[in-house]
Amino acid sequence: MSSYADRLAALRQQLKVDRLDGFVVPLTDEHMSEYVGSYAQRLAWLTGFKGSAGSAVVLPEEAAIFVDGRYTLQVRQQVSADEWSYQSVPETSAADWLKDHAQQGARIGYDPWLHTSDWVKKAREALASRGAELVPVGQNPIDIIWKDRPEASNAHLVVQPDQLAGKSSAEKRTEIGDWLAKMNADAAVLSALDSIAWAFNVRGADVSHTPVALAYALVHADGTADLFVASEKVGPDVRQHLGNGVRLHERSEFESALAELKGLTVAVDPERAVAAIFDALEKAGAKVVPVRDPTILPKAIKNSAEIAGQKAAQERDGAAIARFLRWVEIEAPGGELDELTASDKLESLRRENPEIRDLSFDTISGAGPNGAIVHYKSSEATNRKLESGNLYLVDSGGQYVDGTTDITRTVVVGAPTDEMRDRFTRVLKGHIALATAVFPKGTRGTQLDSFARRPLWEAGLDYAHGTGHGVGSFLSVHEGPQRISPVGSSQSGGDEPLQAGMILSNEPGYYKTGEYGIRIENLVLVVRREIAGAEKDMLGFETLTFAPIDRRLVDAGMLSPDELAWLNCYHAHVLAKIGPRLTGDDLAWLQRACAPITLD
C-alpha cells in the first residue's frame, strides 16, 4: 500500500470483516517498550508518525492520533490532517476521546498484548457510558493487512560481564527470590526487556539503539528461572553464562507456561506487563499479586562498577563531542553543512571508539526552526543547512559496553541575536540551578522540576517536556522510575523518590516555533551530600557529562557570581577530563572553548 490513506482505508475494511466498529493502535510492543523493533512499528506504518510515544484510534468515519507536548509540531509534519485529528496528551486520552466519539453500542477492538490491564479497565469504563464494548482481538488487524511486515529480529544474545554489571546474574536472581519469599509469592513475571537484560546479565540487538533481546522470564522463589527466548538467539557462551539455574524455552511457549501456574502466587507488574499476561494467569487459576517488577529499583540504583563504567563512557563520549563541535564551528560558516551530514559526522566520530556498540537513540540534529521540534528526526525531506545567524541543536548519545550516554548541545552559527542569548542564558541558569540543587532524602523529581524552569518562568516562558529522565547502564536511554517532571506530566512516571546511585538527565530547554530551539543536557548522578549541622540525610547531583557549552551564547551579565563560578568550574573539569584524550588542533580548540568567562 503506497499511501497512508490507503492503509487507513484497508484497516477500516479489515475492521468490517472482523465485525469491529473501531480499533486502538498504541506505539508499543508485547513488553510495553518505549522503543520497539521494526516488526512492532504498527502506529508508524499506519499513520507516518515516527515519534517514540503516541497512540491512535480508528473509527468508521473519523480517526485521531494522541501525542504529548514533545511531539506537537512533529505529528503535524508527519501525519495528514485530512485523515487524522490531533489530540494532546494528557489533556485528552484515547479512552476520553472514545467516550465522546464512539457510536452507541459500538464494538471497539484492542490487542491485549499491547495494552496494560489498567488501560483496559479505564477504556471499558469510558465505553460503557455509551453502551459500547471493548473487544480483545485474537489477531491484530494491522498485522493482517501489513503484507510486508518485517520479521522479529533474530540477533544473538551477548553476555554482559560481571565486572561491568557489578553483580552476577545468580546473585540478582537470588535477591529476587528473597524478595518473593518476603512477599509470600512463588514466582515473578519479568516482561520488560531491560529488566530481563539486567537480571540475566545479557544484552541483545532486537530493538534499535536499545541493547535488549525479545524475551520473557519467570523467576522463582528459589532463585531459579525460566527464560523464554528464541533458541537460535542463544549461543554456547550464553548457555554457559546462564548456568543450570536458568531453564531455556522458546519465546512462543511463554503463554502456555503461564497456563501451568495454577494455584501459585505470581507477582506481576501492572505497569510493565500487558493485559494478556494477567488474563492468562487468572484463567489458569493463579493468584496474581500486582506489584512493581522487583528489578526496577535495583536497576535504577547503580552500583560502583556501573558508576565507574558510566564515567569512563562519558569521558570517551565527551571527547567525540568536542571534536564534533570544533568541526561544526569550522564547517558551518561555509553555508554547505546540513543536518544529515552533521549527524553522520558525529556518529562516525563516536564509532572510532572500540567500546561503542550503537547509538543510544536516533540523533536529533535540528538547524534553525527544526531545532524547535523537540524530538525532531532529520530526513531527506526536512534536511536543512546550518545557516548563519541560526542556532543548531544536537541531541545524541552512544551505547558503550560500560555505559549509556545522552547529551544535548546548542551552538550558534555566526552571530546570535540578543533574544537568542537571553533565552540560552535562562536555560543555562535553570540547568545550573538543578545541577547545584541540594535536597533531603525522600525528595521526588516533581519537587525539583521547577528549579530548572524558574528563570524561564520569570520571563513568561516554559518548555513542554520533562526536565530529566533516568538512564540505564548500557541499557535504555530512558529508564524509570526516577524522573524530573512536573506533577501530572505524562512523563512523571510514578514520582519516585530520588536515591543515591540513580542517574538522570538535566535538560531544560526553550523552543520558539518556526525559529529555533535551545536545550542544554548533561547526565547527573544522585550522590550523598555532607553538610555540617544537617538534621537530615541530604542528596545532590554530580555531573557526569563533559563537553563545552557555547560561550558565545552566554550573557554573562545575566549570571550571578555563583552561576558564573559554576560555569567556569564546569569548563575547567571538561578540560581536565577530556583534554588528555585530544591532541593538536582539537586540544587547542577545547582550551579556547573552556576558557574562563570574566565580567568586564
Side-chain angles (χ1 to χ4, degrees), residues 39-69:
Y39 79 97
Q41 292 278 0
R42 298 176 180 90
L43 185 66
W45 180 84
L46 179 67
T47 69
F49 176 63
K50 303 298 194 297
S52 63
S55 63
V57 176
V58 175
L59 298 178
E61 301 299 330
E62 55 184 332
I65 186 164
F66 304 80
V67 299
D68 62 39

Side-chain angles (χ1 to χ4, degrees), residues 360-402:
S360 56
F361 56 96
D362 288 324
T363 297
I364 299 169
S365 176
N370 287 344
I373 303 170
V374 177
H375 276 201
Y376 171 72
K377 182 180 178 182
S378 188
S379 66
E380 293 293 344
T382 64
N383 190 24
R384 291 181 64 93
K385 291 184 178 178
L386 280 61
E387 298 174 350
S388 181
N390 279 355
L391 298 183
Y392 171 60
L393 184 154
V394 57
D395 184 350
S396 66
Q399 290 284 9
Y400 298 86
V401 70
D402 49 0

Side-chain angles (χ1 to χ4, degrees), residues 30-348:
E30 312 92 300
H31 308 273
M32 296 308 298
S33 307
E34 177 183 16
Y35 298 108
V36 301
S38 57
Y39 79 97
Q41 292 278 0
R42 298 176 180 90
L43 185 66
W45 180 84
L46 179 67
T47 69
F49 176 63
K50 303 298 194 297
S52 63
S55 63
V57 176
V58 175
L59 298 178
E61 301 299 330
E62 55 184 332
I65 186 164
F66 304 80
V67 299
D68 62 39
R70 296 172 293 171
Y71 300 106
T72 301
L73 299 179
Q74 182 177 335
V75 73
R76 284 162 172 77
Q77 289 186 345
Q78 297 177 337
V79 180
S80 171
D82 294 336
E83 281 91 29
W84 299 88
S85 68
Y86 309 122
Q87 304 297 325
S88 178
V89 175
E91 290 82 3
T92 304
S93 69
D96 293 335
W97 190 85
L98 278 167
K99 185 177 180 179
D100 294 333
H101 292 261
Q103 295 178 351
Q104 289 286 337
R107 288 166 46 86
I108 305 299
Y110 78 100
D111 187 335
W113 284 97
L114 300 178
H115 296 275
T116 64
S117 292
D118 183 58
W119 181 91
V120 172
K121 179 183 177 182
K122 290 179 179 177
R124 280 215 166 101
E125 290 172 351
L127 287 168
S129 66
R130 297 185 69 84
E133 180 184 4
L134 192 67
V135 181
V137 298
Q139 183 176 6
N140 194 303
I142 292 179
D143 297 352
I144 297 173
I145 63 172
W146 188 357
K147 299 304 182 184
D148 57 351
R149 180 176 169 229
E151 294 289 331
S153 164
N154 62 358
H156 276 218
L157 276 71
V158 296
V159 175
Q160 180 71 348
D162 289 356
Q163 63 266 29
L164 295 178
K167 187 176 289 187
S168 72
S169 173
E171 290 176 286
K172 293 177 180 179
R173 297 195 315 271
T174 296
E175 290 175 0
I176 295 171
D178 293 342
W179 175 85
L180 285 166
K182 291 177 183 177
M183 295 278 297
N184 293 316
D186 300 297
V189 172
L190 301 185
S191 58
L193 300 183
D194 60 336
S195 294
I196 295 166
W198 181 87
F200 292 89
N201 283 353
V202 293
R203 298 295 188 267
D206 291 349
V207 176
S208 179
H209 307 321
T210 305
V212 294
L214 294 171
Y216 296 99
L218 292 171
V219 181
H220 303 276
D222 63 1
T224 66
D226 293 280
L227 181 61
F228 299 83
V229 60
S231 56
E232 65 265 24
K233 299 165 70 67
V234 184
D237 58 334
V238 175
R239 291 179 185 273
Q240 182 178 1
H241 160 74
L242 294 173
N244 296 331
V246 178
R247 297 171 289 273
L248 289 167
H249 313 267
E250 294 291 337
R251 180 169 177 259
S252 58
E253 297 172 3
F254 175 64
E255 188 173 7
S256 60
L258 296 177
E260 299 172 4
L261 299 178
K262 180 178 180 179
L264 298 184
T265 300
V266 184
V268 191
D269 189 331
E271 183 181 341
R272 295 169 179 84
V274 295
I277 293 174
F278 283 86
D279 295 343
L281 288 169
E282 290 166 3
K283 184 178 179 181
K287 179 183 177 182
V288 178
V289 180
V291 64
R292 186 159 69 183
D293 174 340
T295 72
I296 297 302
L297 265 184
K299 174 162 55 68
I301 301 171
K302 308 298 185 281
N303 58 46
S304 58
E306 291 170 319
I307 291 170
Q310 181 72 358
K311 289 182 176 181
Q314 291 291 346
E315 289 187 17
R316 287 184 228 112
D317 203 61
I321 290 289
R323 293 174 63 198
F324 171 74
L325 293 176
R326 172 179 174 260
W327 177 82
V328 169
E329 191 172 298
I330 294 169
E331 296 294 326
E336 294 303 313
L337 178 60
D338 60 38
E339 297 167 344
L340 290 175
T341 303
S343 61
D344 288 347
K345 177 66 174 182
L346 178 53
E347 180 173 355
S348 72

Side-chain angles (χ1 to χ4, degrees), residues 342-360:
S343 61
D344 288 347
K345 177 66 174 182
L346 178 53
E347 180 173 355
S348 72
L349 290 170
R350 277 197 169 102
R351 289 193 181 277
E352 289 179 15
N353 196 291
E355 282 86 2
I356 198 166
R357 296 295 177 265
D358 197 357
L359 302 182
S360 56

